[in-house]
Amino acid sequence: MSDLPKLPVEYLEVNYDVSEPPHSPTASISQIKAPMPFAISEIFWADVVSANSLSHGDDVKNIYDLVLDMKGFPHKLVPGDTIGICPRNNKDEVEKLLERLGVKEHMDIPCHIGVKPDSGKKKASVPNHILSFSTLREIFESCLDLHAVPKKLFIRALLEYTSDPKDHESLSNLCGRKSEKYTEWIASGRSYLEALLMDHPSCLPSINVVLEHLPRLLPRPYSIAFLSGEADTQIHIAFSVIKFYVEGEKRTGVCSGWLEQLTSKLRTASDSAASLCSGVEALSISSEKPQIKIPVFLRVSSGFHAPADLSRPLIMIGPGVGVAPFIGFLQEREKQFKDANLVTVNQSWLFYGCRYPQRDMVYSNEVKRHLANGTLDKYILAHSRDRSFSKYVQDNIRLHSTDICQMLLEEGAYLYVCGDALSMARDVLAVIVDSIAKYKDINKTNAQQIVMQLQAEGRYKEDVWTIQDDVFRMYSKAMAEDKKRQVMMNAIVPPERRLVVCDMV
């Protein structure tokens, strides 16, 4: 095809060192030369204290309270801070892909990754997230993003290793400069290397090409929910396991699945649903508790912290695991209550939502404790699978819109939103705008300007994420290239909205 991109130069080579014995996988940071994005600390190996279930039963996600011991970490941590966790790819997925690439028998043999002497590529070098001496298993487990959307140049390189004419034509249609098929393919859910090779069985690329084009496996950010332990050295993080299917085979998100599998030996079965949903009561742990460490680092602060001024109302909106940092906010508020000089304390509201009242209410016992001691004034619930409750948090915001507007506009309230960006946070914003418009009897444009002012003053803050951020970003970019679709893209997520990758599937 005339509109194919120029064939990229193949510049890496893999040389196996048979003099070295096969290596077994070990816990390490293989991306040793690559700086961690948004990091303000070095890598710290945190001990896993526990990983307790926060949900149970059918039709709910697996949700866990992960407790990490940060004793010896050189930075002070507070609820709302974000840490990066360096995950590993699923070993079964890695073995399956390496088998498809024809190198499974070599995956544990030490190898040298270098630049071909005669590649002709200017300033060629081994990508800094790949060790120059390692094993293919280690590189594919800890260095490469196997779920990333292959770029057109990668697909163009794969054409040179594709023998079947139909497969060749299909790949050519994907990587053409003006191809609309590429945009559709990104949205199909099969836009990652393993699926691409499944769908084009005659494509048999060299391991060199794959190493050159697969991007780096990035750390995943998680918000600190609250602190515990002696001197508050233990941090709690809530995470839910992302699940999807490939050719009928169940898969999980990279980091959430890795954490669930890594900590499985710490958890034991419990017959008590209340214990499972309690939030922080530890499940029984065997006497032979395995020692587990995971690599983490502190990220640049987003400013998503509990307000110090208790004289203003506090409105917190966090369904699912989005409630996590607000437990820390309430913990900080409880400490502030003990200040003998404290005179004025305004009310605090928490809007929470999950599927069922008895299956997946995250940290419910902690919330009830704060209700009992007066730290929290209102706990407003929505359950999407129980018709006796409002369905979503935005429904309850609409029901309480007058009170919320009064707190925001008359009493100087702080409003925090934590959770999914593409649906919940977007819908919450829309309801807040509509509520302000109705409360002040103004049009929506003026109401949006008021919200923007609240954001500028730090009184409307979001900590939001999207599961498939890479796919969404690339698809949105493709849409943006078509000016007729620009309005549609902005309607999905406003350009100013900050997206944080929680987990990519």
Side-chain angles (χ1 to χ4, degrees):
M1 293 178 65
S2 59
D3 70 331
L4 288 179
K6 182 180 178 181
L7 180 66
V9 175
E10 189 173 322
Y11 65 95
L12 288 183
E13 63 180 4
V14 178
N15 294 304
Y16 299 100
D17 190 345
V18 293
S19 65
E20 291 281 340
H23 284 199
S24 299
T26 57
S28 63
I29 295 293
S30 294
Q31 300 181 31
I32 194 69
K33 297 183 294 182
M36 295 297 161
F38 306 106
I40 57 173
S41 78
E42 299 295 324
I43 293 290
F44 180 82
W45 286 88
D47 287 302
V48 178
V49 178
S50 62
N52 299 327
S53 298
L54 299 178
S55 62
H56 78 287
D58 298 328
D59 194 31
V60 294
K61 296 179 180 179
N62 291 349
I63 305 173
Y64 299 98
D65 171 56
L66 178 68
V67 183
L68 303 178
D69 191 345
M70 302 293 288
K71 187 176 182 180
F73 188 65
H75 295 263
K76 178 179 174 57
L77 299 171
V78 297
D81 279 346
T82 304
I83 65 165
I85 296 180
C86 305
R88 295 178 72 88
N89 287 308
N90 181 279
K91 63 179 183 180
D92 294 331
E93 290 183 37
V94 167
E95 289 188 10
K96 186 175 181 180
L97 179 58
L98 291 176
E99 182 175 24
R100 174 66 177 80
L101 294 171
V103 293
K104 184 179 179 180
E105 62 185 44
H106 306 307
M107 65 184 180
D108 292 319
I109 298 176
C111 58
H112 296 270
I113 314 295
V115 176
K116 291 181 177 180
D118 56 350
S119 71
K121 183 178 175 67
K122 294 182 179 179
K123 297 181 180 180
S125 62
V126 178
N128 65 359
H129 60 274
I130 298 177
L131 284 177
S132 57
F133 184 70
S134 186
T135 65
L136 291 180
R137 183 201 291 274
E138 178 62 24
I139 291 171
F140 275 74
E141 282 193 12
S142 66
C143 299
L144 304 176
D145 188 351
L146 308 186
H147 296 165
V149 178
K151 295 182 179 179
K152 287 187 177 183
L153 281 180
F154 188 7
I155 300 174
R156 174 65 184 90
L158 294 179
L159 278 175
E160 303 303 302
Y161 296 90
T162 304
S163 56
D164 183 84
K166 290 184 178 180
D167 288 346
H168 197 281
E169 181 182 6
S170 174
L171 291 174
S172 297
N173 288 334
L174 286 180
C175 69
R177 290 191 181 94
K178 300 179 181 179
S179 172
E180 294 184 1
K181 293 287 186 182
Y182 184 72
T183 303
E184 297 170 3
W185 175 66
I186 290 174
S188 71
R190 296 187 62 77
S191 52
Y192 53 96
L193 180 60
E194 183 183 347
L196 186 69
L197 295 177
M198 285 182 184
D199 296 339
H200 302 84
S202 72
C203 181
L204 303 171
S206 72
I207 194 66
N208 306 337
V209 168
V210 175
L211 289 174
E212 289 168 12
H213 289 278
L214 274 181
R216 176 185 179 183
L217 177 61
L218 290 171
R220 281 15 181 195
Y222 288 89
S223 296
I224 296 175
F226 58 98
L227 310 176
S228 65
E230 184 179 351
D232 284 343
T233 58
Q234 295 180 356
I235 63 173
H236 291 247
I237 293 167
F239 72 93
S240 59
V241 180
I242 309 302
K243 295 181 180 179
F244 62 106
Y245 290 84
V246 177
E247 300 290 313
E249 182 181 345
K250 186 173 73 174
R251 299 288 179 86
T252 61
V254 175
C255 194
S256 61
W258 175 68
L259 288 173
E260 182 181 48
Q261 185 179 49
L262 187 69
T263 59
S264 60
K265 293 181 180 180
L266 287 174
R267 296 186 299 275
T268 57
S270 172
D271 295 328
S272 170
S275 177
L276 283 168
C277 286
S278 64
V280 293
E281 283 105 321
L283 300 179
S284 57
I285 302 295
S286 65
S287 57
E288 297 182 0
K289 176 182 173 181
Q291 297 298 307
I292 301 172
K293 291 179 179 288
I294 63 173
V296 303
F297 61 89
L298 181 62
R299 289 167 52 97
V300 173
S301 173
S302 64
F304 197 84
H305 299 127
D309 185 358
L310 299 186
S311 66
R312 299 185 180 196
L314 173 61
I315 304 168
M316 299 165 285
I317 304 167
V321 294
V323 74
F326 299 137
I327 303 301
F329 282 24
L330 294 172
Q331 185 186 61
E332 291 295 302
R333 192 177 177 88
E334 184 179 16
K335 292 177 182 178
Q336 289 173 296
F337 274 24
K338 298 175 182 178
D339 186 347
N341 298 318
L342 193 63
V343 178
T344 305
V345 177
N346 216 314
Q347 58 187 325
S348 61
W349 289 25
L350 173 59
F351 289 86
Y352 177 72
C354 61
R355 292 186 178 181
Y356 298 95
Q358 301 299 327
R359 301 186 194 178
D360 57 342
M361 285 185 64
V362 176
Y363 296 132
S364 60
N365 277 10
E366 277 295 289
V367 174
K368 291 174 183 176
R369 185 178 69 80
H370 288 295
L371 276 170
N373 66 24
T375 312
L376 178 65
D377 296 290
K378 281 198 174 185
Y379 185 33
I380 303 166
L381 298 171
H383 297 296
S384 60
R385 300 290 200 272
D386 189 327
R387 294 185 179 180
S388 61
F389 290 81
S390 295
K391 193 170 185 179
Y392 300 115
V393 290
Q394 51 267 37
D395 298 326
N396 278 331
I397 294 169
R398 192 175 288 109
L399 289 173
H400 294 83
S401 61
T402 300
D403 289 331
I404 290 173
C405 287
Q406 181 178 333
M407 287 188 282
L408 272 177
L409 306 178
E410 312 295 340
E411 302 174 34
Y414 294 95
L415 188 148
Y416 292 80
V417 182
C418 184
D420 173 56
L422 293 185
S423 54
M424 184 279 299
R426 178 196 60 187
D427 293 344
V428 165
L429 178 61
V431 172
I432 294 294
V433 169
D434 289 343
S435 299
I436 291 175
K438 182 179 179 181
Y439 183 81
K440 294 185 70 69
D441 193 21
I442 57 178
N443 61 41
K444 187 175 291 188
T445 299
N446 289 337
Q448 289 172 334
Q449 291 175 347
I450 290 175
V451 171
M452 291 174 64
Q453 182 61 34
L454 293 174
Q455 292 171 332
E457 295 172 0
R459 294 201 294 117
Y460 189 116
K461 292 188 176 183
E462 295 177 316
D463 183 6
V464 296
W465 59 80
T466 175
I467 300 169
Q468 298 187 22
D469 191 63
D470 255 8
V471 173
F472 175 78
R473 183 174 61 251
M474 293 192 68
Y475 188 52
S476 295
K477 182 179 179 182
M479 291 172 68
E481 291 171 355
D482 184 343
K483 294 182 180 179
K484 295 179 181 179
R485 299 182 183 179
Q486 184 68 52
V487 174
M488 179 181 173
M489 184 192 74
N490 289 343
I492 295 175
V493 170
E496 66 273 9
R497 181 70 58 81
R498 176 176 63 87
L499 297 182
V500 177
V501 180
C502 173
D503 201 1
M504 285 183 276
V505 297

